[in-house]
Amino acid sequence: MTDNLFNSPAMYTIAITLIHFIWQGALIAGVLKLLLSVTPISKPQLRYLFSSIAMAACLIVPIFTFAWIYSPDYLHANASQNSSQILSPLVEQVASVQSDWYQNVFEALPFISIGWAVIVFLLALKLCIELISVNRMHLSGSYLPTDKLQNRFEQLVADMALKQQPQLLISLKTNVPMAIGWLKPVVLVPASMVSGLTPNQLDMLLLHELAHIRRHDYIVNFVQTLVEITLFFHPAVRWISKQMRNEREYCSDDLAVAHAGNPIAYAKTLAQTATLCKQHRHSIPSMAMAASGGDLKQRVMRLVDHEHHCSQQDDSGKWLATMLIIFTLASVALKPYLTTPFLDKAPGHFTLF
């Protein structure tokens, strides 16, 4: 049973697909960084579209890579196949010198796949627990708002032209406003903010949460998190996901400001809640669309003065540029070792290099 698992063509193909995605993910992130560098931060919808396409590419590219490499006709794995029939003399000489290295890499492939699968399973289990916790937040420690607040909320829902009526609840357990759920969305407002903010300020925060609901950000964030879990090992995927979350908050901010009509007042409202959000940020579930999402400081600065925070001054991708440079240098250094066929797809065999 164990031998069959380790010699399964799928185990080798998964590992090779993950190895290929190292350069594929870096390339996708590099293209996104280039697009974001030439797209003004005043156009978050376009920047969010680019980020979403990049995240979708991170999901689609490995699937295509796996489908291209995998074949159910492989009967067994063997890294010691004679490659002289398919290699040029020069490449054969390089492969011969590195045969031990190739053999070790080949034998490690099933372990790579199993390790990846175990970590993905654990992360998926953690996500399920968090989803259950988030979707049950409104079941305890919450109560209905006053008629006055409920009427204001319904007016804001009408202004946002939402097709479904979210439920508004006052929560004793949350510290920042947040929207949870997709089919039956719920907006939770901390009891402290109901009494601590002016009606206009509270309306602005509610508009932000309603903007998330209107844009279906909850389900998008869920799919995005699944991609993060599947490709957890690649820092470029985490960077792309961070860009998506930042641009998502900018989009919701712009939508809220469009209805509130006062970006400065909206920025002041965010600034007033910044300290509270920072103190309790660790307790905010990642699956909830909270008012403190993204980079709160940058959100405020962007609203106050676009020129003070423009895309050319965004330092969030400097480490990515460094990673791409290192990857390029490593690719050049390893070029002699990558000239052999990575996969021999001869019928009945599964050979590496």
Side-chain angles (χ1 to χ4, degrees):
M1 181 71 177
T2 303
D3 291 339
N4 292 335
L5 177 63
F6 274 79
N7 290 332
S8 169
M11 300 301 292
Y12 288 87
T13 308
I14 289 174
I16 294 173
T17 299
L18 297 176
I19 293 173
H20 273 301
F21 184 73
I22 293 176
W23 68 266
Q24 292 169 341
L27 179 61
I28 293 171
V31 173
L32 175 61
K33 180 60 181 176
L34 177 62
L35 291 173
L36 293 181
S37 66
V38 298
T39 306
I41 201 170
S42 59
K43 297 181 179 180
Q45 290 283 2
L46 184 58
R47 293 168 62 89
Y48 183 70
L49 176 62
F50 290 152
S51 302
S52 300
I53 292 175
M55 182 60 74
C58 288
L59 177 63
I60 295 173
V61 167
I63 294 176
F64 273 95
T65 302
F66 180 90
W68 179 266
I69 296 175
Y70 178 77
S71 174
D73 295 332
Y74 297 136
L75 300 180
H76 62 278
N78 184 3
S80 62
Q81 295 295 319
N82 183 9
S83 59
S84 60
Q85 299 177 355
I86 60 175
L87 302 179
S88 66
L90 177 61
V91 174
E92 181 181 355
Q93 181 180 4
V94 175
S96 176
V97 173
Q98 300 297 331
S99 60
D100 292 340
W101 183 82
Y102 291 151
Q103 179 72 27
N104 293 334
V105 172
F106 187 84
E107 292 177 352
L109 291 181
F111 294 96
I112 294 175
S113 298
I114 292 176
W116 169 81
V118 169
I119 296 177
V120 168
F121 173 78
L122 293 176
L123 292 175
L125 182 62
K126 178 177 178 291
L127 176 63
C128 291
I129 295 174
E130 183 176 345
L131 281 173
I132 294 174
S133 175
V134 168
N135 290 323
R136 293 174 60 89
M137 288 180 63
H138 65 288
L139 299 180
S140 62
S142 301
Y143 59 92
L144 295 174
T146 63
D147 292 339
K148 182 179 180 180
L149 180 56
Q150 179 63 34
N151 291 336
R152 290 210 330 263
F153 180 73
E154 292 177 358
Q155 181 59 49
L156 295 176
V157 171
D159 293 342
M160 276 286 183
L162 295 182
K163 297 181 179 179
Q164 53 185 339
Q165 175 69 40
Q167 183 182 12
L168 176 64
L169 292 176
I170 310 302
S171 176
L172 299 175
K173 294 185 176 181
T174 61
N175 300 291
V176 294
M178 61 181 65
I180 60 175
W182 176 45
L183 296 177
K184 296 181 179 180
V186 177
V187 176
L188 296 177
V189 178
S192 59
M193 286 192 175
V194 174
S195 58
L197 296 177
T198 67
N200 287 337
Q201 289 176 326
L202 186 58
D203 287 351
M204 291 176 185
L205 293 180
L206 290 175
L207 283 170
H208 180 88
E209 301 309 320
L210 293 177
H212 280 306
I213 295 175
R214 176 177 171 177
R215 290 167 38 82
H216 306 290
D217 285 338
Y218 186 86
I219 187 63
V220 174
N221 185 56
F222 173 72
V223 176
Q224 174 184 345
T225 304
L226 292 180
V227 179
E228 283 186 280
I229 288 175
T230 305
L231 302 170
F232 65 90
F233 60 92
H234 207 307
V237 175
R238 293 194 294 272
W239 178 80
I240 294 173
S241 184
K242 179 182 178 181
Q243 301 309 305
M244 276 191 69
R245 289 192 168 92
N246 287 339
E247 301 302 333
R248 178 186 299 145
E249 295 302 326
Y250 296 158
C251 291
S252 296
D253 286 341
D254 286 355
L255 193 56
V257 168
H259 288 81
N262 192 334
I264 301 300
Y266 183 84
K268 289 181 178 179
T269 301
L270 290 180
Q272 287 181 343
T273 60
T275 303
L276 182 62
C277 293
K278 183 177 181 180
Q279 291 175 349
H280 301 280
R281 193 177 185 86
H282 65 279
S283 63
I284 300 173
S286 61
M287 291 306 300
M289 297 292 100
S292 60
D295 191 319
L296 196 56
K297 180 180 178 181
Q298 291 186 1
R299 287 170 59 191
V300 173
M301 293 174 64
R302 174 180 172 272
L303 289 167
V304 173
D305 186 0
H306 284 178
E307 293 183 359
H308 186 67
H309 178 69
C310 58
S311 58
Q312 287 76 8
Q313 295 176 328
D314 187 3
D315 295 334
S316 62
K318 282 187 175 180
W319 68 267
L320 179 64
T322 302
M323 183 190 70
L324 291 176
I325 293 173
I326 295 174
F327 173 80
T328 302
L329 295 176
S331 299
V332 174
L334 293 176
K335 185 177 180 181
Y337 306 102
L338 300 177
T339 54
T340 58
F342 197 75
L343 188 64
D344 178 12
K345 300 182 70 172
H349 298 283
F350 189 99
T351 60
L352 185 65
F353 307 108

